[in-house]
Amino acid sequence: MSAVPHVVDARVNVALPELLALRSRVMRAPPPPVVSRAPRSGQRPGRLHGRGMDYAESRVYQAGDDVRRMDWRLTARSGVAHTKLFQEEREGRLLVLLDTNASMRFGTRTRFKSVQAARVAAMAAWYAMRGGDRVGVLAFGGQRHLLRPQGGPRGALAVCGALATWDAMSPGSDESLSAALQRAGRLMHGASRVLLVSDGFAVDDAAHGRMLGLVGKAEVRIVTVADPLEMAEPPPGRYPFSHQGVHYDIALHGERQRVEFARALGDGRHRLAALASQLGLRHRMLDTSADPLDAVVDLLGPSRGR
């Protein structure tokens, strides 16, 4: 007798075929921009992939420029001091910091937050691959695993496989964001960018200091994943819930009940948004029915003001 194949419900569990199919969507999006790493006055260096030191352009000398990089030929020809700018070519590395705490396994429409978070991480991996970056994932919370950054299609495929595998494993205990950030600081593996994907319920008082330390090492971007029920006060009624096989109803008829319920469910996203604002970090919020592509392209594209 042949075994009955296991069918994954893509609404509540991460389905590997869906993550792999996201590649075609990402490949149709605008490509990641290539930005010179050559530092200019008042600017942080951007990134360009490859190896070596290649000449990019020359510009008028500015205070603080390295005199060893003077463009003497152009200076003599123009009579104005010019400096050579080089493209310090370095392969970028993206580390996705993925929340797998118990609060992520919740959903009232379309899919669980955990499934949406995996879709964000997979799209980020495909987008990073398209730009020539290496990409890895650090899971925190119920799952605590590290997939070291890898390059090319193999790296993105490894990310997708890890996301599906970790989702199917029995979860452990929850973990605070500050603890996760402390581990991330030790396990960066040369990552120049970090994308945090979370619903915000792991944010604790110590997260601000830990995040500040991480910002000193890499560019940090945040995607907050929220269920629609967490984003607005629910209408009056009875709401059925299920947790670990236990079914129960919550009656929300009075105004006070609904306000307190909405405040409790929205606490995570508010805390994460406040953390991002305090540190000036670019962030986007997605509900569980949204397409993550625009947020991924926006956050992993060039920084505003560059």
Side-chain angles (χ1 to χ4, degrees), residues 164-187:
T165 298
W166 297 343
D167 182 76
M169 297 170 64
S170 298
S173 58
D174 280 356
E175 182 180 16
S176 67
L177 180 59
S178 63
L181 293 172
Q182 185 177 25
R183 287 198 294 120
R186 298 195 307 264
L187 301 171

Side-chain angles (χ1 to χ4, degrees), residues 87-152:
Q87 295 172 335
E88 184 180 333
E89 300 177 350
R90 185 174 302 168
E91 190 175 43
R93 294 192 179 195
L94 170 68
L95 180 67
V96 179
L97 190 55
L98 182 70
D99 190 342
T100 64
N101 280 306
S103 63
M104 296 291 291
R105 300 193 69 84
F106 174 80
T108 62
R109 300 177 203 171
T110 311
R111 57 180 64 88
F112 274 13
K113 289 186 287 183
S114 55
V115 175
Q116 181 72 317
R119 295 173 76 236
V120 173
M123 277 194 168
W126 292 121
Y127 190 70
M129 175 212 73
R130 191 176 178 192
D133 282 355
R134 289 176 174 266
V135 60
V137 183
L138 176 64
F140 71 95
Q143 302 297 334
R144 303 181 190 182
H145 307 282
L146 171 67
L147 177 68
R148 290 179 172 82
Q150 303 176 51

Side-chain angles (χ1 to χ4, degrees), residues 5 15 23 69 72 97 113 157 169 179 305:
R23 177 180 184 176
R69 295 188 176 183
W72 297 112
L97 190 55
K113 289 186 287 183
L157 288 170
M169 297 170 64

Side-chain angles (χ1 to χ4, degrees), residues 2-3 9 18 22 42-43 80 86 101 164 185 188 204 207 214 234 298:
S2 60
D9 185 345
E18 181 184 11
L22 293 175
Q43 292 184 338
V80 178
F86 293 85
N101 280 306
M188 292 289 289
D204 56 339
L214 191 63
D298 175 51

